[in-house]
Amino acid sequence: MTDTAADAPAALHFGFFALDVLRTRRLGRSFLRVTFGGESLADFRSGGFDQSLSLFLPPPGQEHTVLPSTDEDDWFAAWRGMPDGERPVMRSYTVREQRRTAEGVDELDIDFVLHGDSGPASRWAGRAVTGRRIMAIGPVVAQNKSVRFQPPAGSDAVWMYADETALPAAAAILERLPAGTRVRAWFEVPHQDDRLALSTPADAEITWMVREGDGRDRTEQVLNALRAAGPLAGQAPYVWLAGEAGTVRAARRHFVQERSVDRRSVRFTGYWRLGASEEQLLAEAYAGQAPSEDPASEL
Ligand SMILES: Cc1cc2nc3c(=O)[nH]c(=O)nc-3n(C[C@H](O)[C@H](O)[C@H](O)COP(=O)(O)OP(=O)(O)OC[C@H]3O[C@@H](n4cnc5c(N)ncnc54)[C@H](O)[C@@H]3O)c2cc1C
């Protein structure tokens, strides 16, 4: 589903990293921050904003991720060829922050949404303890194609929608925007205490939408909130949308059809899809059946 996942075999901008869990911290009812360390992080080059990476998580019963090969030419075939039940699962996540501490230790934060044990990544995160090792494919150059947030020159406002899975990316984007950038944002989270503190030098107006339910009417709620906002400041907005795929598509239609935004200025990404695991989404991508993220694609 992600560029890193689907195109990784050919990607020169990415490399393998061994990530060791240093600590975990609960940020809200749905969010767990896992801070990773590891010597290989010295070569990790996050481009910031919504930089994503692919994690390989160990199958149940194994403490650490072991890949048969990390060679750029044959890792993919070797990984795919592993027997079911032994193959680490690959999942897309966001680099919430990369830093080097005052003591010179390289650290990486990833904020996991805990959505229960039905997903291997959520299950793994909920049980993560210090010392566990996973593997990742991440950037070795800061300018890489897994940074999707790329406002065109001349944009005069940023309009954003994110659900909880994209809130880490939205938070990182907000931190990086130039001072005074006009931002209008809608963030959808499951619970009140998932409204994480955000900091930004931008001139941002944020609307929080709290579901507090099973989320069946999530798309309708989001569209209602977008429509209720009335006219938005900005003649040449850049629109960034990420979250559940169906809701993201509906939000894109809203901005293109109801607010007449040039579709080339809308970056939209389905971070997950209700009822489908990432394997299923990847299988669709390999079969060429995945809904397009191309800004020019039909609605
Ligand atoms: C570029 C990119 C960046 C991402 N960044 C983050 C991030 O920083 N933090 C983060 O938490 N997620 C992030 N995601 C989303 C994450 O990859 C998916 O939620 C993924 O499906 C989780 O894997 P899993 O193994 O837990 O569930 P899967 O095995 O993939 O899915 C199992 C079931 O759970 C459902 N499901 C998946 N995710 C959720 C959810 N959040 N809530 C409710 N049901 C769900 C699926 O529909 C499916 O029915 C990102 C995705 C992309 C493409």
Side-chain angles (χ1 to χ4, degrees):
M1 185 176 189
T2 64
D3 295 340
T4 46
D7 302 342
L12 296 173
H13 290 173
F14 303 98
F16 276 95
F17 297 89
L19 303 180
D20 300 323
V21 176
L22 297 179
R23 57 187 177 274
T24 64
R25 181 159 73 91
R26 201 69 182 233
L27 302 178
R29 194 146 133 204
S30 307
F31 290 102
L32 183 86
R33 173 162 299 167
V34 181
T35 299
F36 296 94
E39 281 174 19
S40 61
L41 279 178
D43 297 324
F44 195 95
R45 298 281 181 275
S46 174
F49 298 99
D50 56 350
Q51 174 76 66
S52 62
L53 79 176
S54 293
L55 302 181
F56 294 87
L57 302 157
Q62 289 182 30
E63 292 192 352
H64 308 292
T65 299
V66 180
L67 292 174
S69 167
T70 54
D71 185 276
E72 74 179 57
D73 293 326
D74 73 4
W75 74 265
F76 188 71
W79 169 73
R80 291 268 278 197
M82 292 175 82
D84 291 346
E86 289 177 29
R87 187 186 314 111
V89 291
M90 180 163 61
R91 292 289 182 267
S92 304
Y93 278 85
T94 301
V95 178
R96 177 63 186 84
E97 188 177 288
Q98 179 191 6
R99 65 184 161 269
R100 180 164 288 172
T101 66
E103 295 76 37
V105 180
D106 290 299
E107 294 188 347
L108 193 72
D109 290 335
I110 298 181
D111 293 349
F112 289 81
V113 173
L114 301 179
H115 63 91
D117 280 358
S118 66
S122 173
R123 186 174 56 226
W124 178 85
R127 292 165 176 73
V129 290
T130 304
R132 293 284 156 88
R133 170 169 288 191
I134 63 170
M135 299 295 292
I137 295 178
V140 294
V141 291
Q143 287 198 337
N144 62 77
K145 62 197 176 85
S146 290
V147 178
R148 293 170 169 79
F149 185 88
Q150 306 279 356
S155 309
D156 64 0
V158 175
W159 299 347
M160 311 170 80
Y161 157 74
D163 75 4
E164 63 272 29
T165 63
L167 190 57
I173 289 170
L174 283 171
E175 282 171 5
R176 283 245 181 168
L177 285 175
T181 307
R182 275 188 298 190
V183 176
R184 187 68 177 88
W186 291 262
F187 297 146
E188 179 202 355
V189 290
H191 305 290
Q192 288 287 347
D193 75 352
D194 293 326
R195 296 179 304 161
L196 304 180
L198 303 170
S199 69
T200 179
D203 176 10
E205 182 182 347
I206 295 169
T207 298
W208 288 97
M209 295 171 280
V210 179
R211 285 200 301 275
E212 296 288 6
D214 63 10
R216 229 174 294 169
D217 59 351
R218 65 171 71 218
T219 300
E220 206 182 316
Q221 279 192 17
V222 170
L223 288 176
N224 287 344
L226 296 177
R227 286 176 181 141
L232 304 176
Q235 299 302 310
Y238 177 64
V239 181
W240 179 91
L241 312 168
E244 197 284 321
T247 306
V248 163
R249 275 201 306 279
R252 179 186 179 232
R253 272 196 298 275
H254 166 80
F255 284 106
V256 173
Q257 293 180 346
E258 298 176 34
R259 292 191 182 272
S260 303
V261 176
D262 182 339
R263 68 179 64 192
R264 288 166 305 185
S265 298
V266 181
R267 185 73 214 222
F268 65 107
T269 312
Y271 271 23
W272 63 287
R273 197 169 77 205
L274 211 53
S277 70
E278 201 168 323
E279 273 84 31
Q280 289 167 292
L281 299 175
L282 275 172
E284 288 176 13
Y286 295 133
Q289 296 162 353
S292 176
E293 285 183 26
D294 180 351
S297 75
E298 293 306 313
L299 296 172

